[in-house]
Amino acid sequence: MMLDGKHILLIIGGGIAAFKSLDLIRRLRERGAAVTPVLTKAGEEFVTPLSVSALAGSKLYRDLFDLGDEAEMGHIQLSRVADLVVVAPATADLMSKMAQGVANDLASTLLLATDTPVMIAPAMNVRMWDHPATQRNLVTLRGDDIAVVGPNDGDMACGEFGPGRMAEPMEIVTAIQAHFADGPLTGKRILVTSGPTHEPIDPVRYIANRSSGAQGTALATALAALGAHVVFVTGPADVPPPSGVEVIKVQTAHQMLNAVEGALPADAAVFAAAVADWRVSSASDRKLKKSKDGLPVLEFAENPDILKTVAQMGKGRPKLVVGFAAETNDVIENATAKRKRKGCDWIVANDVSPETGIMGGSENAVTLISDAGAEGWPRMSKTDVATQLAARIAQALT
Ligand code: CTP
């Protein structure tokens, strides 16, 4: 099993999301991990000590000054027995204590005393998450090498909508598995763009394309499984983003370029997104209405070419830049010319003629074009294309 022999110290903070941590314990144990739970005082308001320790099949630690515990296992030792410390939910308060180095209860003392890696799954009200103080703490924690999973966007228990929902238990499990994945891409940072972009015509209409995001999502999953830290910049795709990767959601090509530039530097960058080549330069901030004066005229402007920008950036260019080419005819000739024009190292070319069923489908037949020439791969599932491409990327980076 993926987590056999791994020991996780799970600190459950005081948030409504604490109930999801019960499921997290169950899923970690199913995968072979041992879980030692620590429940904060505030956490006890949301889940009972009995349910936590029963699910963990372990003693629950609650109090810094519990003499019995100190005799059994001191807090310093407790903080170090684990292979990974996971804080879920990580409340704004816990994040703040961690960033400041405060140690005034068992959880914060363990976090200050530990010398093992720490991963947090933040959960809080959207305004608390967006508050400059929390964002400052987040930067500090990332700088301290603390891994952060989520939070996700969504409806919140407090009735608001936005970022702040704790990542789902399976997303946390995947991030934990990726943390332990000792693959050839461990320590590498890889950027992946995916999905279509939406270019607004007016507030309710947009121009889009048929990309589902399936190939980019499969590739991000395969790279993470080899140990990479994947930054996944995605337009509005049909398939949900993979878990265990850093997700940045965008709508337009311009937003995608900004997100990509913000995510660099990276060891490799793979551009699987189907970026709209044009945007409506005359996009209206009001809904266009039917009018007696005739039909509306849309004017277009060219979008930035994100792949080309990164492939030709000179200093700070990722070592390996990979583009995709969606062609309907003369696939190899067009894709070879595209590789030159864009300045990328590889082009993964595919035939997206409607009769192939590739765009929006589950299979792909690709040709990998590099300076060594064109290499045709047999038709296979998008997952298999992703696995093979991830293996080739690992070869190229090591
Ligand atoms: N791409 C990009 N930014 C754009 C357009 C495309 O990053 N504005 C990337 C895609 O993610 C893909 C590659 O460029 O990796 C090829 O895109 P494609 O649309 O096939 O190529 P174009 O440059 O648009 O060429 P053409 O329209 O002639 O096919």
Side-chain angles (χ1 to χ4, degrees), residues 1-11 20-36 55-56 84-86 88 119 169-177 180:
M1 280 187 288
M2 292 282 296
L3 294 173
D4 257 339
K6 300 295 180 206
H7 187 165
I8 303 208
L9 184 72
L10 175 66
I11 296 175
K20 291 198 216 171
S21 299
L22 298 178
D23 190 33
L24 176 62
I25 294 174
R26 192 173 62 78
R27 290 176 187 272
L28 288 171
R29 292 194 66 208
E30 269 169 14
R31 286 163 179 76
V35 179
T36 300
L55 279 166
L84 178 68
V85 178
V86 176
M119 178 181 289
M170 269 317 292
E171 293 177 83
I172 302 173
V173 169
T174 310
I176 293 172
Q177 290 181 162
F180 289 119

mmCIF file of all heavy atoms in Angstrom, residues 1-11 20-36 55-56 84-86 88 119 169-177 180:
data_model
loop_
_atom_site.group_PDB
_atom_site.id
_atom_site.type_symbol
_atom_site.label_atom_id
_atom_site.label_comp_id
_atom_site.label_asym_id
_atom_site.label_seq_id
_atom_site.Cartn_x
_atom_site.Cartn_y
_atom_site.Cartn_z
ATOM 1 N N MET A 1 0.837 -1.206 0.000
ATOM 2 C CA MET A 1 0.000 0.000 0.000
ATOM 3 C C MET A 1 0.868 1.250 0.000
ATOM 4 O O MET A 1 1.978 1.229 0.534
ATOM 5 C CB MET A 1 -0.917 -0.020 1.222
ATOM 6 C CG MET A 1 -2.134 -0.917 1.014
ATOM 7 S SD MET A 1 -3.311 -0.795 2.361
ATOM 8 C CE MET A 1 -2.447 -1.643 3.662
ATOM 9 N N MET A 2 0.295 2.303 -0.577
ATOM 10 C CA MET A 2 1.069 3.524 -0.809
ATOM 11 C C MET A 2 1.706 4.112 0.458
ATOM 12 O O MET A 2 2.760 4.704 0.400
ATOM 13 C CB MET A 2 0.170 4.601 -1.415
ATOM 14 C CG MET A 2 -0.319 4.331 -2.809
ATOM 15 S SD MET A 2 0.908 4.633 -4.079
ATOM 16 C CE MET A 2 1.229 6.388 -3.956
ATOM 17 N N LEU A 3 0.994 3.998 1.607
ATOM 18 C CA LEU A 3 1.513 4.673 2.798
ATOM 19 C C LEU A 3 1.950 3.688 3.882
ATOM 20 O O LEU A 3 2.067 4.067 5.050
ATOM 21 C CB LEU A 3 0.445 5.644 3.338
ATOM 22 C CG LEU A 3 0.124 6.822 2.411
ATOM 23 C CD1 LEU A 3 -1.051 7.642 2.935
ATOM 24 C CD2 LEU A 3 1.338 7.743 2.243
ATOM 25 N N ASP A 4 2.209 2.474 3.467
ATOM 26 C CA ASP A 4 2.649 1.449 4.417
ATOM 27 C C ASP A 4 3.850 1.912 5.222
ATOM 28 O O ASP A 4 4.824 2.403 4.655
ATOM 29 C CB ASP A 4 3.062 0.175 3.654
ATOM 30 C CG ASP A 4 1.986 -0.883 3.748
ATOM 31 O OD1 ASP A 4 1.162 -0.793 4.687
ATOM 32 O OD2 ASP A 4 1.965 -1.781 2.894
ATOM 33 N N GLY A 5 3.745 1.758 6.534
ATOM 34 C CA GLY A 5 4.896 2.072 7.390
ATOM 35 C C GLY A 5 5.079 3.554 7.665
ATOM 36 O O GLY A 5 5.972 3.937 8.409
ATOM 37 N N LYS A 6 4.223 4.398 7.077
ATOM 38 C CA LYS A 6 4.366 5.843 7.313
ATOM 39 C C LYS A 6 3.591 6.224 8.568
ATOM 40 O O LYS A 6 2.486 5.732 8.811
ATOM 41 C CB LYS A 6 3.819 6.661 6.135
ATOM 42 C CG LYS A 6 4.528 6.367 4.831
ATOM 43 C CD LYS A 6 5.976 6.776 4.872
ATOM 44 C CE LYS A 6 6.655 6.475 3.557
ATOM 45 N NZ LYS A 6 8.095 6.263 3.718
ATOM 46 N N HIS A 7 4.171 7.132 9.312
ATOM 47 C CA HIS A 7 3.545 7.556 10.574
ATOM 48 C C HIS A 7 3.184 9.031 10.455
ATOM 49 O O HIS A 7 4.049 9.867 10.210
ATOM 50 C CB HIS A 7 4.541 7.308 11.711
ATOM 51 C CG HIS A 7 3.957 7.549 13.058
ATOM 52 N ND1 HIS A 7 4.535 7.113 14.223
ATOM 53 C CD2 HIS A 7 2.819 8.183 13.443
ATOM 54 C CE1 HIS A 7 3.791 7.473 15.246
ATOM 55 N NE2 HIS A 7 2.742 8.125 14.797
ATOM 56 N N ILE A 8 1.912 9.310 10.626
ATOM 57 C CA ILE A 8 1.440 10.696 10.466
ATOM 58 C C ILE A 8 0.927 11.229 11.793
ATOM 59 O O ILE A 8 0.094 10.587 12.446
ATOM 60 C CB ILE A 8 0.334 10.742 9.400
ATOM 61 C CG1 ILE A 8 0.950 10.158 8.149
ATOM 62 C CG2 ILE A 8 -0.230 12.167 9.244
ATOM 63 C CD1 ILE A 8 0.518 10.529 6.871
ATOM 64 N N LEU A 9 1.451 12.368 12.168
ATOM 65 C CA LEU A 9 0.916 13.065 13.341
ATOM 66 C C LEU A 9 -0.109 14.056 12.802
ATOM 67 O O LEU A 9 0.243 14.967 12.053
ATOM 68 C CB LEU A 9 2.053 13.794 14.071
ATOM 69 C CG LEU A 9 1.650 14.486 15.367
ATOM 70 C CD1 LEU A 9 1.380 13.459 16.467
ATOM 71 C CD2 LEU A 9 2.754 15.433 15.842
ATOM 72 N N LEU A 10 -1.375 13.841 13.142
ATOM 73 C CA LEU A 10 -2.448 14.672 12.584
ATOM 74 C C LEU A 10 -2.963 15.631 13.646
ATOM 75 O O LEU A 10 -3.521 15.202 14.664
ATOM 76 C CB LEU A 10 -3.596 13.779 12.089
ATOM 77 C CG LEU A 10 -4.834 14.531 11.584
ATOM 78 C CD1 LEU A 10 -4.510 15.333 10.322
ATOM 79 C CD2 LEU A 10 -5.986 13.561 11.313
ATOM 80 N N ILE A 11 -2.771 16.922 13.407
ATOM 81 C CA ILE A 11 -3.262 17.942 14.338
ATOM 82 C C ILE A 11 -4.588 18.472 13.803
ATOM 83 O O ILE A 11 -4.650 18.993 12.676
ATOM 84 C CB ILE A 11 -2.230 19.080 14.481
ATOM 85 C CG1 ILE A 11 -0.956 18.511 15.113
ATOM 86 C CG2 ILE A 11 -2.806 20.230 15.298
ATOM 87 C CD1 ILE A 11 0.187 19.502 15.214
ATOM 88 N N LYS A 20 -14.292 16.557 8.482
ATOM 89 C CA LYS A 20 -13.669 15.886 7.331
ATOM 90 C C LYS A 20 -12.386 15.174 7.744
ATOM 91 O O LYS A 20 -11.915 14.281 7.048
ATOM 92 C CB LYS A 20 -13.318 16.912 6.247
ATOM 93 C CG LYS A 20 -14.494 17.543 5.536
ATOM 94 C CD LYS A 20 -13.972 18.164 4.232
ATOM 95 C CE LYS A 20 -14.643 19.436 3.852
ATOM 96 N NZ LYS A 20 -13.998 20.109 2.728
ATOM 97 N N SER A 21 -11.791 15.614 8.842
ATOM 98 C CA SER A 21 -10.541 14.990 9.282
ATOM 99 C C SER A 21 -10.782 13.573 9.790
ATOM 100 O O SER A 21 -9.869 12.754 9.807
ATOM 101 C CB SER A 21 -9.870 15.844 10.346
ATOM 102 O OG SER A 21 -9.591 17.100 9.771
ATOM 103 N N LEU A 22 -12.029 13.295 10.216
ATOM 104 C CA LEU A 22 -12.349 11.915 10.625
ATOM 105 C C LEU A 22 -12.234 11.006 9.396
ATOM 106 O O LEU A 22 -11.674 9.917 9.460
ATOM 107 C CB LEU A 22 -13.764 11.851 11.213
ATOM 108 C CG LEU A 22 -13.981 12.685 12.483
ATOM 109 C CD1 LEU A 22 -15.432 12.580 12.947
ATOM 110 C CD2 LEU A 22 -13.046 12.233 13.600
ATOM 111 N N ASP A 23 -12.768 11.478 8.278
ATOM 112 C CA ASP A 23 -12.671 10.714 7.032
ATOM 113 C C ASP A 23 -11.209 10.606 6.591
ATOM 114 O O ASP A 23 -10.769 9.564 6.110
ATOM 115 C CB ASP A 23 -13.517 11.423 5.964
ATOM 116 C CG ASP A 23 -13.685 10.581 4.707
ATOM 117 O OD1 ASP A 23 -13.742 9.347 4.850
ATOM 118 O OD2 ASP A 23 -13.724 11.157 3.610
ATOM 119 N N LEU A 24 -10.464 11.697 6.802
ATOM 120 C CA LEU A 24 -9.038 11.685 6.438
ATOM 121 C C LEU A 24 -8.303 10.585 7.208
ATOM 122 O O LEU A 24 -7.504 9.838 6.628
ATOM 123 C CB LEU A 24 -8.425 13.067 6.735
ATOM 124 C CG LEU A 24 -6.922 13.202 6.511
ATOM 125 C CD1 LEU A 24 -6.565 12.969 5.046
ATOM 126 C CD2 LEU A 24 -6.422 14.584 6.945
ATOM 127 N N ILE A 25 -8.592 10.466 8.491
ATOM 128 C CA ILE A 25 -7.937 9.428 9.320
ATOM 129 C C ILE A 25 -8.232 8.051 8.723
ATOM 130 O O ILE A 25 -7.339 7.223 8.534
ATOM 131 C CB ILE A 25 -8.460 9.473 10.778
ATOM 132 C CG1 ILE A 25 -8.057 10.776 11.447
ATOM 133 C CG2 ILE A 25 -7.941 8.270 11.568
ATOM 134 C CD1 ILE A 25 -8.651 10.968 12.846
ATOM 135 N N ARG A 26 -9.498 7.833 8.398
ATOM 136 C CA ARG A 26 -9.917 6.528 7.870
ATOM 137 C C ARG A 26 -9.167 6.210 6.570
ATOM 138 O O ARG A 26 -8.640 5.122 6.384
ATOM 139 C CB ARG A 26 -11.429 6.574 7.622
ATOM 140 C CG ARG A 26 -12.074 5.250 7.355
ATOM 141 C CD ARG A 26 -13.591 5.418 7.309
ATOM 142 N NE ARG A 26 -14.047 6.300 6.240
ATOM 143 C CZ ARG A 26 -14.136 5.964 4.956
ATOM 144 N NH1 ARG A 26 -13.799 4.757 4.576
ATOM 145 N NH2 ARG A 26 -14.564 6.828 4.062
ATOM 146 N N ARG A 27 -9.091 7.203 5.692
ATOM 147 C CA ARG A 27 -8.460 6.969 4.386
ATOM 148 C C ARG A 27 -6.951 6.783 4.510
ATOM 149 O O ARG A 27 -6.349 6.020 3.766
ATOM 150 C CB ARG A 27 -8.788 8.115 3.425
ATOM 151 C CG ARG A 27 -10.251 8.101 3.025
ATOM 152 C CD ARG A 27 -10.612 9.275 2.159
ATOM 153 N NE ARG A 27 -12.036 9.346 1.927
ATOM 154 C CZ ARG A 27 -12.681 8.738 0.942
ATOM 155 N NH1 ARG A 27 -12.030 7.973 0.098
ATOM 156 N NH2 ARG A 27 -13.979 8.884 0.804
ATOM 157 N N LEU A 28 -6.341 7.477 5.442
ATOM 158 C CA LEU A 28 -4.890 7.294 5.650
ATOM 159 C C LEU A 28 -4.616 5.889 6.165
ATOM 160 O O LEU A 28 -3.693 5.214 5.712
ATOM 161 C CB LEU A 28 -4.364 8.331 6.647
ATOM 162 C CG LEU A 28 -4.291 9.770 6.122
ATOM 163 C CD1 LEU A 28 -3.965 10.737 7.251
ATOM 164 C CD2 LEU A 28 -3.250 9.885 5.012
ATOM 165 N N ARG A 29 -5.463 5.440 7.099
ATOM 166 C CA ARG A 29 -5.230 4.107 7.669
ATOM 167 C C ARG A 29 -5.489 3.014 6.636
ATOM 168 O O ARG A 29 -4.766 2.028 6.579
ATOM 169 C CB ARG A 29 -6.107 3.916 8.915
ATOM 170 C CG ARG A 29 -5.643 4.843 10.040
ATOM 171 C CD ARG A 29 -6.250 4.456 11.352
ATOM 172 N NE ARG A 29 -5.785 3.158 11.828
ATOM 173 C CZ ARG A 29 -6.503 2.364 12.620
ATOM 174 N NH1 ARG A 29 -7.711 2.726 13.012
ATOM 175 N NH2 ARG A 29 -6.013 1.214 13.015
ATOM 176 N N GLU A 30 -6.521 3.230 5.793
ATOM 177 C CA GLU A 30 -6.790 2.268 4.706
ATOM 178 C C GLU A 30 -5.567 2.059 3.825
ATOM 179 O O GLU A 30 -5.388 1.007 3.241
ATOM 180 C CB GLU A 30 -7.878 2.832 3.777
ATOM 181 C CG GLU A 30 -9.281 2.466 4.132
ATOM 182 C CD GLU A 30 -10.282 3.290 3.302
ATOM 183 O OE1 GLU A 30 -9.884 3.943 2.284
ATOM 184 O OE2 GLU A 30 -11.444 3.287 3.696
ATOM 185 N N ARG A 31 -4.757 3.124 3.701
ATOM 186 C CA ARG A 31 -3.568 3.042 2.837
ATOM 187 C C ARG A 31 -2.323 2.620 3.598
ATOM 188 O O ARG A 31 -1.216 2.756 3.099
ATOM 189 C CB ARG A 31 -3.361 4.385 2.134
ATOM 190 C CG ARG A 31 -4.373 4.580 1.037
ATOM 191 C CD ARG A 31 -4.502 6.013 0.576
ATOM 192 N NE ARG A 31 -5.487 6.080 -0.492
ATOM 193 C CZ ARG A 31 -6.807 6.010 -0.285
ATOM 194 N NH1 ARG A 31 -7.298 5.881 0.934
ATOM 195 N NH2 ARG A 31 -7.635 6.054 -1.314
ATOM 196 N N GLY A 32 -2.508 2.180 4.829
ATOM 197 C CA GLY A 32 -1.382 1.596 5.560
ATOM 198 C C GLY A 32 -0.672 2.536 6.513
ATOM 199 O O GLY A 32 0.284 2.134 7.170
ATOM 200 N N ALA A 33 -1.119 3.810 6.597
ATOM 201 C CA ALA A 33 -0.435 4.752 7.490
ATOM 202 C C ALA A 33 -0.884 4.559 8.928
ATOM 203 O O ALA A 33 -2.028 4.163 9.179
ATOM 204 C CB ALA A 33 -0.720 6.189 7.048
ATOM 205 N N ALA A 34 0.003 4.842 9.865
ATOM 206 C CA ALA A 34 -0.380 4.934 11.284
ATOM 207 C C ALA A 34 -0.647 6.403 11.571
ATOM 208 O O ALA A 34 0.100 7.274 11.112
ATOM 209 C CB ALA A 34 0.761 4.429 12.155
ATOM 210 N N VAL A 35 -1.727 6.683 12.279
ATOM 211 C CA VAL A 35 -2.096 8.081 12.553
ATOM 212 C C VAL A 35 -2.122 8.310 14.059
ATOM 213 O O VAL A 35 -2.834 7.618 14.784
ATOM 214 C CB VAL A 35 -3.484 8.409 11.963
ATOM 215 C CG1 VAL A 35 -3.864 9.863 12.266
ATOM 216 C CG2 VAL A 35 -3.505 8.160 10.457
ATOM 217 N N THR A 36 -1.318 9.266 14.526
ATOM 218 C CA THR A 36 -1.405 9.694 15.927
ATOM 219 C C THR A 36 -2.118 11.042 15.937
ATOM 220 O O THR A 36 -1.613 12.018 15.362
ATOM 221 C CB THR A 36 0.007 9.853 16.537
ATOM 222 O OG1 THR A 36 0.663 8.585 16.468
ATOM 223 C CG2 THR A 36 -0.073 10.299 17.980
ATOM 224 N N LEU A 55 -11.288 6.144 15.584
ATOM 225 C CA LEU A 55 -10.963 6.002 14.156
ATOM 226 C C LEU A 55 -9.459 5.846 13.950
ATOM 227 O O LEU A 55 -9.023 5.096 13.081
ATOM 228 C CB LEU A 55 -11.469 7.218 13.371
ATOM 229 C CG LEU A 55 -12.955 7.163 13.030
ATOM 230 C CD1 LEU A 55 -13.436 8.520 12.566
ATOM 231 C CD2 LEU A 55 -13.204 6.122 11.943
ATOM 232 N N ALA A 56 -8.678 6.567 14.746
ATOM 233 C CA ALA A 56 -7.218 6.496 14.580
ATOM 234 C C ALA A 56 -6.673 5.183 15.133
ATOM 235 O O ALA A 56 -5.573 4.774 14.776
ATOM 236 C CB ALA A 56 -6.555 7.680 15.268
ATOM 237 N N LEU A 84 5.611 12.664 8.995
ATOM 238 C CA LEU A 84 5.006 13.896 8.468
ATOM 239 C C LEU A 84 3.995 14.403 9.495
ATOM 240 O O LEU A 84 3.245 13.608 10.069
ATOM 241 C CB LEU A 84 4.287 13.598 7.144
ATOM 242 C CG LEU A 84 3.560 14.758 6.467
ATOM 243 C CD1 LEU A 84 4.560 15.802 5.942
ATOM 244 C CD2 LEU A 84 2.688 14.262 5.304
ATOM 245 N N VAL A 85 4.002 15.718 9.718
ATOM 246 C CA VAL A 85 2.982 16.335 10.568
ATOM 247 C C VAL A 85 1.960 16.984 9.636
ATOM 248 O O VAL A 85 2.334 17.762 8.753
ATOM 249 C CB VAL A 85 3.596 17.393 11.512
ATOM 250 C CG1 VAL A 85 2.508 18.047 12.358
ATOM 251 C CG2 VAL A 85 4.675 16.775 12.393
ATOM 252 N N VAL A 86 0.686 16.641 9.806
ATOM 253 C CA VAL A 86 -0.367 17.225 8.968
ATOM 254 C C VAL A 86 -1.302 18.025 9.871
ATOM 255 O O VAL A 86 -1.745 17.509 10.902
ATOM 256 C CB VAL A 86 -1.156 16.115 8.235
ATOM 257 C CG1 VAL A 86 -2.320 16.719 7.436
ATOM 258 C CG2 VAL A 86 -0.237 15.324 7.309
ATOM 259 N N ALA A 88 -4.866 19.665 9.855
ATOM 260 C CA ALA A 88 -6.112 19.720 9.079
ATOM 261 C C ALA A 88 -7.308 19.623 10.027
ATOM 262 O O ALA A 88 -7.437 18.608 10.686
ATOM 263 C CB ALA A 88 -6.149 18.566 8.067
ATOM 264 N N MET A 119 2.729 19.667 6.737
ATOM 265 C CA MET A 119 1.788 20.007 5.663
ATOM 266 C C MET A 119 0.524 20.563 6.319
ATOM 267 O O MET A 119 0.066 20.006 7.319
ATOM 268 C CB MET A 119 1.457 18.737 4.883
ATOM 269 C CG MET A 119 0.470 18.920 3.764
ATOM 270 S SD MET A 119 0.130 17.338 2.942
ATOM 271 C CE MET A 119 1.656 17.042 2.077
ATOM 272 N N PRO A 169 -10.719 15.301 1.838
ATOM 273 C CA PRO A 169 -9.795 14.301 2.403
ATOM 274 C C PRO A 169 -8.953 13.604 1.339
ATOM 275 O O PRO A 169 -7.742 13.434 1.525
ATOM 276 C CB PRO A 169 -10.739 13.318 3.107
ATOM 277 C CG PRO A 169 -11.898 14.177 3.522
ATOM 278 C CD PRO A 169 -12.061 15.199 2.431
ATOM 279 N N MET A 170 -9.547 13.247 0.188
ATOM 280 C CA MET A 170 -8.758 12.546 -0.831
ATOM 281 C C MET A 170 -7.678 13.444 -1.451
ATOM 282 O O MET A 170 -6.634 12.963 -1.869
ATOM 283 C CB MET A 170 -9.666 11.973 -1.929
ATOM 284 C CG MET A 170 -10.134 10.560 -1.653
ATOM 285 S SD MET A 170 -8.845 9.475 -1.006
ATOM 286 C CE MET A 170 -7.780 9.341 -2.440
ATOM 287 N N GLU A 171 -7.957 14.757 -1.522
ATOM 288 C CA GLU A 171 -6.919 15.666 -2.033
ATOM 289 C C GLU A 171 -5.752 15.710 -1.057
ATOM 290 O O GLU A 171 -4.584 15.764 -1.463
ATOM 291 C CB GLU A 171 -7.488 17.080 -2.211
ATOM 292 C CG GLU A 171 -8.532 17.182 -3.300
ATOM 293 C CD GLU A 171 -9.099 18.589 -3.370
ATOM 294 O OE1 GLU A 171 -8.457 19.433 -4.004
ATOM 295 O OE2 GLU A 171 -10.161 18.850 -2.794
ATOM 296 N N ILE A 172 -6.077 15.687 0.239
ATOM 297 C CA ILE A 172 -5.007 15.715 1.246
ATOM 298 C C ILE A 172 -4.224 14.400 1.191
ATOM 299 O O ILE A 172 -2.991 14.398 1.229
ATOM 300 C CB ILE A 172 -5.598 15.979 2.649
ATOM 301 C CG1 ILE A 172 -6.363 17.305 2.643
ATOM 302 C CG2 ILE A 172 -4.497 16.009 3.700
ATOM 303 C CD1 ILE A 172 -7.126 17.610 3.918
ATOM 304 N N VAL A 173 -4.953 13.290 1.026
ATOM 305 C CA VAL A 173 -4.280 11.984 0.919
ATOM 306 C C VAL A 173 -3.333 11.984 -0.283
ATOM 307 O O VAL A 173 -2.181 11.550 -0.183
ATOM 308 C CB VAL A 173 -5.320 10.843 0.789
ATOM 309 C CG1 VAL A 173 -4.647 9.542 0.400
ATOM 310 C CG2 VAL A 173 -6.080 10.671 2.097
ATOM 311 N N THR A 174 -3.809 12.494 -1.423
ATOM 312 C CA THR A 174 -2.957 12.507 -2.619
ATOM 313 C C THR A 174 -1.721 13.367 -2.390
ATOM 314 O O THR A 174 -0.614 13.008 -2.806
ATOM 315 C CB THR A 174 -3.738 13.026 -3.839
ATOM 316 O OG1 THR A 174 -4.959 12.307 -3.905
ATOM 317 C CG2 THR A 174 -2.973 12.831 -5.127
ATOM 318 N N ALA A 175 -1.905 14.506 -1.730
ATOM 319 C CA ALA A 175 -0.753 15.372 -1.451
ATOM 320 C C ALA A 175 0.230 14.655 -0.528
ATOM 321 O O ALA A 175 1.450 14.766 -0.694
ATOM 322 C CB ALA A 175 -1.224 16.684 -0.833
ATOM 323 N N ILE A 176 -0.309 13.919 0.431
ATOM 324 C CA ILE A 176 0.566 13.168 1.352
ATOM 325 C C ILE A 176 1.306 12.077 0.577
ATOM 326 O O ILE A 176 2.518 11.893 0.736
ATOM 327 C CB ILE A 176 -0.265 12.577 2.517
ATOM 328 C CG1 ILE A 176 -0.797 13.712 3.394
ATOM 329 C CG2 ILE A 176 0.570 11.587 3.337
ATOM 330 C CD1 ILE A 176 -1.791 13.283 4.472
ATOM 331 N N GLN A 177 0.575 11.390 -0.309
ATOM 332 C CA GLN A 177 1.231 10.341 -1.117
ATOM 333 C C GLN A 177 2.309 10.957 -2.009
ATOM 334 O O GLN A 177 3.388 10.396 -2.159
ATOM 335 C CB GLN A 177 0.198 9.584 -1.946
ATOM 336 C CG GLN A 177 -0.675 8.714 -1.062
ATOM 337 C CD GLN A 177 -1.717 7.908 -1.812
ATOM 338 O OE1 GLN A 177 -2.243 6.955 -1.270
ATOM 339 N NE2 GLN A 177 -2.027 8.278 -3.033
ATOM 340 N N PHE A 180 5.460 11.605 -0.147
ATOM 341 C CA PHE A 180 6.298 10.425 0.078
ATOM 342 C C PHE A 180 6.768 9.791 -1.238
ATOM 343 O O PHE A 180 7.615 8.897 -1.219
ATOM 344 C CB PHE A 180 5.556 9.384 0.924
ATOM 345 C CG PHE A 180 5.391 9.811 2.364
ATOM 346 C CD1 PHE A 180 4.128 9.976 2.916
ATOM 347 C CD2 PHE A 180 6.508 10.045 3.155
ATOM 348 C CE1 PHE A 180 3.974 10.371 4.244
ATOM 349 C CE2 PHE A 180 6.364 10.434 4.482
ATOM 350 C CZ PHE A 180 5.099 10.598 5.028
#
